């Protein structure tokens, strides 16, 4: 199994992948500590994935609010009498 840390290059690549996935150092350390416990590693990754999705959904709500505000302002500007 490639998750097992038996090679420095494999471990370095794995750590880089976790960093690229925006895992904290604590998450990376926890993942490495679970070496050989695939179930625990998968649970850790699933939790991190959920945190990322929650962040995306929060940002989407912010964008929706901004879009609504811009739309309302544009409607108000179009309805205002021109001088």
């Amino acid at each position: 199994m490639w998750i097992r840390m038996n090679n420095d290059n494999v471990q370095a690549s794995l750590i880089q992948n976790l960093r690229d996935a925006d895992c904290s150092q604590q998450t990376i350390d926890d993942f490495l500590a679970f070496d050989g416990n695939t179930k625990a590693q998968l649970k850790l990754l699933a939790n991190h994935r959920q945190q990322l999705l929650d962040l995306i959904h929060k940002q989407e709500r912010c964008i929706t609010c901004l879009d609504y505000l811009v739309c309302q302002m544009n409607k108000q500007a179009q309805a205002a009498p021109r001088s």
Side-chain angles (χ1 to χ4, degrees):
M1 175 179 275
W2 75 275
I3 296 297
R4 290 238 160 144
M5 307 303 155
N6 57 8
N7 178 318
D8 288 340
N9 290 335
V10 171
Q11 184 168 354
S13 178
L14 176 61
I15 290 169
Q16 186 59 53
N17 187 274
L18 292 168
R19 285 182 182 142
D20 292 346
D22 202 31
C23 291
S24 68
Q25 188 59 50
Q26 183 62 53
T27 300
I28 293 170
D29 293 343
D30 291 346
F31 184 90
L32 297 175
F34 290 137
D35 185 26
N37 187 346
T38 302
K39 185 175 180 178
Q41 288 175 324
L42 288 171
K43 183 177 180 181
L44 187 71
L45 295 177
N47 289 341
H48 182 65
R49 184 179 189 280
Q50 186 60 53
Q51 290 173 359
L52 293 174
L53 279 174
D54 291 345
L55 182 59
I56 287 171
H57 294 149
K58 180 182 178 193
Q59 297 302 321
E60 285 178 334
R61 286 190 297 275
C62 292
I63 290 169
T64 299
C65 289
L66 285 174
D67 288 347
Y68 175 79
L69 179 59
V70 168
C71 182
Q72 294 302 310
M73 291 175 73
N74 282 331
K75 283 181 182 179
Q76 194 173 39
Q78 290 174 356
R82 299 184 190 246
S83 25

